[in-house]
Amino acid sequence: MRREHGTPRSGWEKTIEGQGLAYHRAAHPEGLSRPYWDESVHYVFSMAEVEALEEQVEELHDMCLRAVEHVISARRFADFAIPEWAWDEVARSWERRDSHLYARFDLRYDGTGPARLLEYNADTPTSLVESSVVQWFWLQDAYPGDDQWNSLHERLIDRWRELRLPPGPTHFAFTNMDETGEEAMTVAYLQETAEQAGLRTISIAMEDIGWDALNRRFADLNEQVIRSVFKLYPWEWMLADQFGRHAVRHGTWIEPLWKTLLSNKALLAILWELYPGHPSLLPAYLDGPRELTSYIAKPLLGREGASMRIVTPEGTQETPGEYGKEGYVFQGFEALPVFEGQRPVLGAWMVADEAAGLGIRETTGFITDDTSSFVPHRIAE
């Protein structure tokens, strides 16, 4: 693993916008000199490194599924701040093995040892367009003789064909709260992969999904029955909404309800309980830092690095945010590796239960947030 420099393609901004990354300007805070998509640098891996990472993330995914089984059988839903009325519905979703589509591991990796799990984004992962499409076309233009850890597009199409969905079109829901367009473009891309798989699809705003109380079913603005929905609206928000009690019992949702256990950072503590000392895990606890002298307190439902606190013998750092009322997990802190002053986080993608690709975001700080840039990668021949 190494970081290399290159010359950005002429007109790269229009190129990536035409490939779906239309939000690359809006998604990045103003006043930053570095663009969100930065192809002036990239990371290079050997095939052996990628194969080892694939094996590690598939093992991590299997461990996570076993953790879900443990949480449900031990009725540990309170550790995840899930409202009690939804506990049985989460369990039923798992017992039915409701179909799932994709997810992203965030990993610490420096090229010299096993990857370490930072968190699992298994309900509403983004940076998909960058990982699946934009960096693939960058590779074809800049390094056409090299390879890339990236089978996302093909695997997504195959997975849509495998899903057991009810008859009728599948609705793809975005939210009107999306200010940058990132969610809308992610949903649109996944809708495109579903259509390439042969599914009939309809686009809809989450806010326009209606509840037909008489017939006890969801419907769209044309009064068409909604039987299956892909959404990037988090399950914890749905469970807090008025219609959440209907959502857990009616319709097929992707991602499914049981994934609310994988997208919650309490998972990190459960994994450490079940697999203490595992080389791909960092120590993590729900009841406090215990023996840890360096740790990071993460809100169970936090997003984009908000409301986090890093505690080390040298001092404390905090990020702003409004998360944390639901509780925290305390994870051993191991600083991200440094490559030329930048700290990469590897986003390793899963489609269904198989490793499918890699996206990398860089930061100069310890926590990846909305100021972090996406950089492509390649596998050198």
Side-chain angles (χ1 to χ4, degrees), residues 8 195 253 258 336:
E195 289 174 349
W253 298 88
W258 61 263
L336 296 171

Side-chain angles (χ1 to χ4, degrees), residues 20-89:
L21 200 56
Y23 52 85
H24 71 102
R25 303 177 199 269
H28 213 37
E30 295 182 4
L32 297 177
S33 59
R34 188 181 187 190
Y36 170 69
W37 167 268
D38 188 357
E39 61 181 63
S40 69
V41 295
H42 64 273
Y43 282 84
V44 184
F45 297 84
S46 69
M47 184 61 75
E49 284 177 310
V50 169
E51 289 173 345
L53 285 168
E54 284 183 323
E55 184 177 338
Q56 290 167 47
V57 297
E58 289 187 355
E59 181 185 13
L60 279 169
H61 178 72
D62 183 65
M63 290 159 57
C64 288
L65 297 183
R66 293 174 186 271
V68 171
E69 180 68 42
H70 166 75
V71 171
I72 289 173
S73 62
R75 306 285 290 179
R76 296 186 62 180
F77 302 104
D79 288 336
F80 289 72
I82 295 173
E84 189 171 356
W85 64 264
W87 291 2
D88 288 342
E89 298 299 338

Side-chain angles (χ1 to χ4, degrees), residues 116-132:
R116 294 289 192 96
L117 174 63
L118 301 175
E119 57 187 68
Y120 199 14
N121 301 282
D123 183 22
T124 59
T126 53
S127 76
L128 179 64
V129 176
E130 302 92 300
S131 300
S132 178

